[in-house]
Amino acid sequence: MVNSAVIDNSGGQGVIYLESCDALISNSTFSGNAGAAGDVWVRGFNGDASVRLEYCTFSGFSGAFGAITYLADQASSSTLIRYTSCIFAGDDACFSEVAADGVNTLESLGYNIVLDATSDAFAASTDLTSTDPLLAPLETVAGTFVHVPLAGSPARNAGDPALAAGVNGAPMFDQRGSGFDRVLEGRIDIGAIESIPTTACGPADLTTNGNSNGVPDGLVTLSDFSFYLSLWSQSDPAADVTTDGTANGVPDGSVTLSDFSYYLSLWSQGCP
């Protein structure tokens, strides 16, 4: 499972149930789930179960067993869970083992961040334990649900420094897909998405009571923001989005919002 958002679900077992299989969960966000056996329930039954978690963000898990529950039902069965470059931002335990006859194994491959101070499943030297990942509330960005790392988040530029986007198994893009490079500023972030790079800040480009910053009210300078914009015309006026000149009187990269019905989601590229 890649590039997915699993949000506000509940279930009698895990929200995702994996039995006696090999599975990969990558570039994905889990938030607000309340499965009785966690976000992911891994079970070895009449066989072995092996799961790798990478570049994932787990937040707000509230099931009785935490984010991940694992169980090897029989002496001949086993479970193996490996995890790297993941954020575990819930207040409850990250992993819960259900006692059984088989062998259960947890293996941190490093570069994880965990908020819970009691977890002992993060022994790699590059894991950050008892650490607040500083995530923004859940929001929709580019059509998917994510927790954006805030300025100062320990997840920013803190993943494996040897990784390059699209090389040796590292994703080319983050959870949001094409156009959202998996590695920015020279080093991959921990979690499901890359932070917006910090840039020099100019004057604010959103105004409501004047144009002292040189941008008329109701206009947005899109080049200063990352954005997701959906527009539909109210009466088909002269086009107000230009790409090759200013014949309509509106500078390239700007929109006259008053001529459109619109849904606009903006997030600053490092500026307030």
Side-chain angles (χ1 to χ4, degrees), residues 82-157:
R82 294 187 172 105
Y83 36 98
T84 183
S85 210
C86 291
I87 294 173
F88 296 89
D91 291 326
D92 298 320
C94 300
F95 297 95
S96 293
E97 180 181 14
V98 178
D101 296 328
V103 176
N104 296 312
T105 303
L106 296 177
E107 182 180 357
S108 171
L109 303 179
Y111 302 100
N112 299 288
I113 299 176
V114 55
L115 177 62
D116 175 38
T118 65
S119 180
D120 59 359
F122 298 88
S125 61
T126 53
D127 288 336
L128 298 177
T129 59
S130 304
T131 300
D132 188 340
L134 296 178
L135 302 179
L138 189 70
E139 60 181 305
T140 304
V141 178
T144 190
F145 292 97
V146 297
H147 287 283
V148 177
L150 298 171
S153 169
R156 297 171 69 109
N157 301 321

Side-chain angles (χ1 to χ4, degrees), residues 128-246:
L128 298 177
T129 59
S130 304
T131 300
D132 188 340
L134 296 178
L135 302 179
L138 189 70
E139 60 181 305
T140 304
V141 178
T144 190
F145 292 97
V146 297
H147 287 283
V148 177
L150 298 171
S153 169
R156 297 171 69 109
N157 301 321
D160 187 343
L163 292 178
V167 178
N168 294 330
M172 179 64 71
F173 305 111
D174 70 17
Q175 178 186 318
R176 295 166 292 183
S178 180
F180 295 91
D181 291 346
R182 183 63 262 199
V183 178
L184 298 174
E185 298 185 307
R187 186 168 175 177
I188 196 168
D189 286 3
I190 296 172
I193 70 167
E194 291 293 300
S195 307
I196 303 301
T198 301
T199 60
C201 294
D205 285 324
L206 291 177
T207 59
T208 58
N209 58 2
N211 61 357
S212 60
N213 66 358
V215 180
D217 287 358
L219 294 184
V220 179
T221 302
L222 298 181
S223 59
D224 285 344
F225 292 85
S226 294
F227 65 93
Y228 180 77
L229 177 65
S230 178
L231 293 173
W232 58 98
S233 173
Q234 294 177 347
S235 60
D236 194 24
D240 284 328
V241 179
T242 60
T243 57
D244 58 359
T246 58

